[in-house]
């Protein structure tokens, strides 16, 4: 059921990840209840390929030769490894053998794909020479995994993506990058510093990656999905793999995705809720929280305070950034949070330091009234 996310975790996997733009909601309303030209060319009257126009638009958006959309990023990675590496060697740094939410482990994905894992380097230090020594006639590709949900700091070393691309090109093997987050916004002047440091899909392609996999429902801000963008020859091989049919997108995901792609193409990034939330200023967030407080009549024990939001969804290694929140002092914070969840439209808050926090950064503006209603009920007004 519909809930209000007041946790401050923007791409909250438990709460459905990225909320969709209004244009996507309208597209679903228009298309979900009837037929649509999913695999049909209206002009010629013959069968067409599912998602072809969306894939062309995505490829153009990021500057890739081609794109293939599948049902999530894990599927994109699995398809790459199965198509390119089955029965052969895939070289990966030990420091990138990660596990993300739901037990998705890179070594296990490699095993399932039929490829053989070749680990190089150490947990904290891997050099280009480590990859070079591991390449032999059985090597299918190099795999680079973006450590989006963890950090290794201190005595570390990691080759740049362009260095790996140069090596891959010299040995005529593909370089595949699992980028994960799907950030494609390159001008990030209004974004938190943590987001501004995140590599974009375009930067990975410019650095020379032959195929880049990323999620469509994290920093891209769309429905659940994954995509592989890159060289036409590689993406073409993936598209022809029988596994691609098992991993293909459905009509509702495609209907929701196309307006998101259009928003990027038209420069209307502010209409994508994830980006609207990321670029909300501290002053705007404090004003919204104070608005809630005023609606409640400023009761004792309720105030506005600085806090920290997180991107979530396994992106940005859970790095927090500054936000503001409505804070409620309570002798029984767990019970108060439960009462908020018991509202007609449940409000999901965060408990920290034995207080209940509601962060407006992750509350859609249209849900401000629902927050106030739930608070009045929970506080016994």
């Amino acid at each position: 059921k519909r809930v209000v996310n007041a946790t401050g975790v923007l791409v909250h996997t438990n709460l459905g990840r990225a909320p969709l733009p209004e244009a996507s909601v309208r597209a679903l309303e228009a298309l979900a209840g009837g037929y649509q030209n999913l695999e049909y060319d209206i002009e010629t009257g013959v069968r067409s390929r599912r998602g072809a126009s969306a894939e062309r638009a995505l490829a153009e958006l990021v500057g890739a030769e081609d794109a293939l959309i599948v049902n999530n990023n894990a599927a994109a990675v699995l398809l790459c490894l199965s198509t390119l590496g089955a029965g052969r060697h895939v070289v990966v740094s030990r420091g990138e053998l990660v596990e993300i939410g739901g037990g998705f482990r890179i070594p296990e994905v490699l095993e399932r794909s039929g490829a053989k894992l070749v680990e190089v380097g150490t947990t904290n230090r891997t050099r280009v020479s480590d990859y070079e020594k591991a390449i032999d006639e059985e090597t299918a590709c190099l795999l680079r995994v973006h450590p989006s949900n963890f950090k290794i700091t201190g005595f570390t070393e990691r080759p740049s993506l362009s260095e790996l691309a140069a090596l891959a090109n010299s040995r005529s093997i593909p370089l595949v990058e699992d980028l994960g987050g799907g950030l494609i916004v390159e001008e990030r002047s209004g974004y938190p510093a943590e987001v501004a440091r995140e590599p974009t899909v375009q930067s990975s392609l410019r650095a020379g990656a032959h195929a880049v996999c990323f999620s469509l429902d994290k920093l891209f801000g769309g429905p659940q999905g994954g995509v592989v963008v890159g060289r036409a020859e590689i993406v073409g091989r993936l598209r022809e793999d029988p596994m691609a049919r098992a991993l293909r997108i459905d009509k509702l995901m495609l209907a929701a995705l196309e307006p998101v792609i259009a928003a990027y193409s038209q420069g209307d990034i502010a209409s994508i809720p994830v980006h609207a939330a990321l670029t909300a200023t501290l002053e705007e967030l404090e004003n919204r929280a104070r608005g809630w407080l005023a609606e409640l009549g400023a009761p004792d024990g309720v105030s506005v305070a600085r806090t920290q939001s997180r991107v979530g969804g396994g992106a940005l290694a859970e790095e927090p950034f500054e936000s503001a929140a409505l804070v409620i002092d309570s002798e029984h914070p767990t019970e108060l949070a439960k009462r908020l969840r018991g509202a007609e439209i449940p409000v999901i808050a965060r408990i920290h330091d034995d207080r209940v926090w509601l962060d407006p950064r992750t509350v859609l503006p249209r849900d401000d009234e629902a927050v106030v209603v739930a608070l009045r009920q929970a506080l016994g007004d």
Side-chain angles (χ1 to χ4, degrees):
K1 64 187 297 182
R2 174 187 167 198
V3 304
V4 175
N5 175 14
T7 65
V9 180
L10 183 55
V11 184
H12 201 308
T13 300
N14 302 150
L15 302 181
R17 290 200 177 178
L20 293 172
E22 287 297 324
S24 293
V25 176
R26 291 194 298 269
L28 287 168
E29 289 175 346
L31 296 171
Y35 295 101
Q36 59 180 271
N37 60 321
L38 180 66
E39 296 181 5
Y40 182 80
D41 188 310
I42 295 175
E43 183 177 349
T44 63
V46 299
R47 181 172 182 167
S48 63
R49 180 168 56 81
R50 179 181 304 196
S53 61
E55 289 171 346
R56 285 194 298 270
L58 257 178
E60 182 177 349
L61 194 61
V62 300
E65 293 179 2
D66 200 357
L68 175 64
I69 303 169
V70 290
N71 57 20
N72 60 32
N73 187 52
V77 176
L78 178 62
L79 182 60
C80 279
L81 296 176
S82 175
T83 303
L84 303 177
R88 301 181 66 200
H89 298 171
V90 173
V91 182
V92 193
S93 167
R94 285 189 175 90
E96 297 173 5
L97 297 177
V98 301
E99 175 181 335
I100 63 173
F104 179 84
R105 292 182 168 186
I106 291 296
E108 293 174 2
V109 174
L110 274 161
E111 181 180 1
R112 175 61 66 179
S113 74
K116 180 180 178 181
L117 168 64
V118 177
E119 302 177 32
V120 297
T122 63
T123 301
N124 60 320
R125 304 200 85 185
T126 304
R127 302 177 180 87
V128 172
S129 58
D130 295 318
Y131 289 89
E132 190 170 15
K133 291 173 185 175
I135 295 173
D136 58 24
E137 64 277 1
E138 291 299 316
T139 302
C141 66
L142 306 183
L143 175 64
R144 166 84 156 212
V145 182
H146 180 47
S148 56
N149 63 351
F150 76 100
K151 272 187 173 182
I152 299 176
T153 60
F155 188 59
T156 63
E157 184 176 352
R158 189 179 189 227
S160 69
L161 193 61
S162 58
E163 289 175 318
L164 288 183
L167 174 62
N169 287 332
S170 70
R171 299 299 185 91
S172 299
I173 56 175
L175 169 61
V176 177
E177 183 178 31
D178 174 10
L179 191 58
L183 184 66
I184 69 166
V185 179
E186 298 205 272
E187 174 49 53
R188 289 168 272 172
S189 57
Y191 286 78
E194 293 77 6
V195 178
R197 290 193 291 266
E198 180 75 357
T200 63
V201 175
Q202 297 94 313
S203 67
S204 291
L205 292 169
R206 286 194 297 265
H210 302 100
V212 180
C213 307
F214 61 93
S215 293
L216 293 171
D217 54 343
K218 290 185 179 181
L219 292 173
F220 191 82
Q224 177 179 305
V227 62
V228 185
V229 295
R231 302 285 179 86
E233 185 273 330
I234 291 176
V235 176
R237 288 173 61 187
L238 304 181
R239 187 173 284 121
E240 292 170 4
D241 191 308
M243 187 184 290
R245 180 176 176 83
L247 304 176
R248 70 179 179 175
I249 54 173
D250 79 312
K251 63 181 182 180
L252 298 184
M253 181 270 192
L254 187 59
L257 174 62
E258 288 191 335
V260 183
I261 298 173
Y264 280 113
S265 299
Q266 296 161 9
D268 188 18
I269 298 172
S271 70
I272 302 172
V274 163
H275 293 288
L278 284 171
T279 54
T281 67
L282 191 58
E283 181 182 8
E284 291 169 343
L285 297 170
E286 287 178 331
N287 286 340
R288 286 182 65 196
R290 289 193 185 101
W292 299 346
L293 183 60
E295 289 284 336
L296 295 171
D300 292 339
V302 184
S303 60
V304 175
R306 298 284 176 91
T307 186
Q308 292 183 320
S309 301
R310 297 176 185 272
V311 172
L316 300 183
E318 301 302 313
E319 288 191 36
F321 49 96
E322 196 170 31
S323 191
L326 188 77
V327 188
I328 307 171
D329 294 315
S330 173
E331 293 181 4
H332 306 287
T334 302
E335 180 59 32
L336 176 58
K338 183 178 180 180
R339 291 201 295 272
L340 287 169
R341 297 196 304 273
E344 183 177 354
I345 302 175
V347 174
I348 315 301
R350 183 176 80 246
I351 298 174
H352 177 65
D353 287 340
D354 293 325
R355 298 194 290 175
V356 177
W357 301 68
L358 294 92
D359 188 338
R361 186 183 293 278
T362 54
V363 176
L364 299 173
R366 66 171 182 264
D367 286 332
D368 281 355
E369 183 179 350
V371 170
V372 173
V373 169
L375 283 167
R376 282 177 177 155
Q377 175 185 310
L379 295 171
D381 184 2

